[in-house]
Amino acid sequence: MNEETQTLIEHLIELRRRLVWIMLVMLAAFAAAMPFAQQLYTFVAHPLMATLPQGTQMIATDVIAPFFVPVKVTLMTAFLLTLPHTLYQIWAFVAPALYQNEKRLVLPLVLSSLILFACGMAFAYFAVFPIVFKFLAGVTPQGVSMATDIDKYLSFVLGMFVAFGAAFEVPIVVILLFGYKKLPDIARSVGQSMKVFKKEVKELRDDDSKDSQAQIQQPQEGTYYTEPTQSGQ
C-alpha cells in the first residue's frame, strides 16, 4: 500500500469520525427536544392559526400526520440548533487543507452565512407569514371553509424558510463574486425594498381597519330606532 492510498484512507476515516459526531449531536438534540414536539408545532403553526376565521381549524388528511408532522418540526429544530456544531465539524475537516489567508476568509463568511440565514427565517415568520395568511384568509370565497392540512402547511413553511434564508445570503454571494466594494449598492437596494414593503404593509393594515370600522358602523337589517314613550301620556 503506497503513501497516497494511506493518506486517502486516513482522510476517509477522519470524515467518518466527523460525520458520526454530527449525527450523534443531532440525535441528542432531537431526543432532548422531542418532549416539546407539540409546543414546537404550535409555535410554527401560530401565524396561520391566528388568521383563520373563527370556528375553523387545521386538519390532518393523513392517518399518521398528527404524529409525524410534530416529529418533523422537532427534527428541523434539532438541525438548526446543532448547525453551529455541524459547521464546526466541517470546518475542522477542511481547515488543514486551506492556506492561512483562506482560513481568515472562510470562517467569517460561514458565521455570517449562518446569521443571515437565521435572520431570513425570522423575517419570514414574523413579518411575511402574518400578512400572507391574513390576505389568503380574506380572499377565501364564500361557502369555502379554509381548513389547511398540517402536512402541506409544514411543507409550505419549510419552503418559505429556505427561500427567505437563501435570499438573505445575497451579501455573501456578492462578496464572493464581486468583492466587498459592491455591498453598499446592495445595501441601498435592500433598504429601498424594505421601504416599499413597509409602505404596502401599512396600506393593507389601514384598509383592514377601515373595513372593520365600516362593518361596526353599518346598521343591522330589520332593526329600527323607536323613541321610548313615557307611561301615563
Side-chain angles (χ1 to χ4, degrees):
M1 185 178 295
N2 54 30
E3 184 176 353
E4 294 182 358
T5 304
Q6 290 179 346
T7 304
L8 178 60
I9 293 176
E10 291 175 356
H11 285 319
L12 292 176
I13 293 174
E14 177 67 13
L15 177 61
R16 183 186 65 179
R17 188 174 71 87
R18 298 293 179 181
L19 292 176
V20 168
W21 270 111
I22 291 173
M23 294 302 298
L24 288 177
V25 173
M26 190 177 299
L27 287 175
F30 175 75
M34 193 59 195
F36 308 97
Q38 297 297 331
Q39 291 87 337
L40 291 173
Y41 175 78
T42 302
F43 176 78
V44 173
H46 175 73
L48 179 60
M49 296 296 296
T51 57
L52 284 177
Q54 188 175 3
T56 60
Q57 58 185 357
M58 300 178 69
I59 62 174
T61 58
D62 197 356
V63 176
I64 59 176
F67 171 76
F68 274 108
V69 170
V71 170
K72 290 179 183 179
V73 175
T74 306
L75 185 60
M76 179 188 69
T77 304
F79 171 77
L80 293 176
L81 291 176
T82 59
L83 189 57
H85 175 264
T86 302
L87 294 177
Y88 167 76
Q89 293 295 334
I90 296 174
W91 165 258
F93 177 75
V94 301
L98 299 177
Y99 294 105
Q100 191 64 30
N101 59 341
E102 294 175 337
K103 292 180 180 179
R104 289 196 298 266
L105 178 64
V106 170
L107 188 57
L109 288 179
V110 171
L111 294 177
S112 301
S113 300
L114 181 61
I115 295 173
L116 289 174
F117 194 88
C119 291
M121 294 179 60
F123 179 78
Y125 181 86
F126 292 104
V128 177
F129 286 173
I131 299 173
V132 171
F133 295 146
K134 189 173 184 179
F135 170 77
L136 294 176
V139 299
T140 302
Q142 291 184 356
V144 176
S145 178
M146 186 177 177
T148 306
D149 179 65
I150 58 175
D151 196 9
K152 293 182 179 179
Y153 171 77
L154 179 62
S155 300
F156 173 81
V157 167
L158 292 179
M160 294 292 286
F161 280 160
V162 173
F164 278 89
F168 272 61
E169 298 292 334
V170 171
I172 305 300
V173 178
V174 172
I175 291 176
L176 293 177
L177 295 180
F178 307 105
Y180 65 92
K181 294 182 179 180
K182 286 289 183 179
L183 282 180
D185 297 335
I186 298 297
R188 283 192 291 268
S189 300
V190 173
Q192 294 175 358
S193 301
M194 291 299 297
K195 289 181 180 179
V196 174
F197 178 78
K198 290 180 179 179
K199 181 180 178 182
E200 295 295 332
V201 170
K202 186 177 183 300
E203 291 178 355
L204 286 174
R205 289 177 177 175
D206 292 341
D207 293 340
D208 291 338
S209 61
K210 290 179 181 179
D211 293 340
S212 300
Q213 291 177 0
Q215 292 178 359
I216 294 174
Q217 295 176 358
Q218 183 178 2
Q220 297 181 356
E221 297 182 359
T223 58
Y224 302 94
Y225 175 77
T226 58
E227 185 176 357
T229 58
Q230 296 180 357
S231 59
Q233 292 183 352

